[in-house]
Amino acid sequence: MTTAMRKTILLGAEFWNDSCSPKELAEAVAGGATGATSNPVIVHQVVKADPASWNPVIDALAHEHRSATDEEIAWKLIDEMAVRAAAILEPVFRETKGAKGFLSVQVNPKLYRDTARMVQHGKQLASLAPNIAIKAPCTEAGIAAMEELTAEGIHVNATVSFTLSQAVTVAEAIERGLGRAKQAGRDVSGMHPFVTIMVGRLDDHLQRVAAKEQITVDPGDLHWAGIAVFRKAYDLFRSRELRSRLLVAAYRHHLHWSELVGEDVIFSMPYAFWNQFNASGIEPERRIREPVDETRLARLLKRLPDFAKAYQEGALPVSQFTAYGASVHTLGQFGSAAQDLYSLVRERMLSLGC
């Protein structure tokens, strides 16, 4: 049977599993997935869902590194999970000669202000396997880190990104990094940078703004905000020949998939969503270039200034990337989830008497 995900791939898109869970990833790869994602949030979820598999790993790490802190053990756990997930994707990486089969691994969320430490952590994570791309946030410091990592010949994936300004700014920084890499004698033909737009998190942010400021907005319009930003970014990336590939993340409903199908689009989908879409009966079509209804756009632009900041290039200065509401919310969640992972590891270590 040709599933909706396989039909999406036939239309020129790529499908990733938005988790590094080995069980989920193996099933996803069997269903056509050619990439995956890891971060502290995901690792925490994976360990909680399957303690029988991962508690022994924590135990072994705690015994091997007797003086390590809970945070240090947690990051060694993240490394171990990344190695296992990268191995599952390695045949795809090998068969496509390095064009696909990437595992995206995120630098420590608490480093979002520190370029040098993000670069340092990114290099360490990249050393775990040849098919790892380093995720860093679209903050001012994170964008500088991604340029530097690219110049060092390391694949990157921009995250904590919601706006056209962020997507274009980081793609241009990656272009500078590719230029520097080439000048240094590196072969950049095999480098594959990615830029994520978290479409659902933008929609969530606008819903929070509307509720807080008591702005009346058609709920249907809000479903199209992230789609509108992604489609505009897609057109700009292609017209300006930016080499980064755009990746859709943070799903809230099927439109975040069905309205964005097209060549070179990457869908990084949670396990539950891609299974839901496969069972939906929706026939995917190339819709990425279809314009969003002008009346919807006009209402969003008029009623929600934060949508205008997301949709209009240059409306959000680099200095405001971190303070943009969706960034604040997401960086806060990532930081809290990392702490949850540290707590989980600490409790396990204490139970062992470590």
Side-chain angles (χ1 to χ4, degrees), residues 290-310:
E290 294 189 8
V292 174
D293 181 81
E294 289 292 337
T295 305
R296 287 190 188 277
L297 279 177
R299 287 196 297 255
L300 286 167
L301 289 166
K302 180 180 179 181
R303 302 294 292 166
L304 288 168
D306 267 34
F307 174 70
K309 290 179 182 178

Side-chain angles (χ1 to χ4, degrees), residues 199 202-203 206 221-230 300 307 311:
V199 291
L202 173 60
D203 294 357
L206 296 176
D221 290 350
L222 288 172
H223 288 330
W224 288 85
I227 294 167
V229 170
F230 193 94
L300 286 167
F307 174 70
Y311 184 73

Side-chain angles (χ1 to χ4, degrees), residues 48 52 79 156 163 285 319:
K48 283 188 67 177
D79 289 354
V156 298
T163 70
E285 301 175 10
S319 61

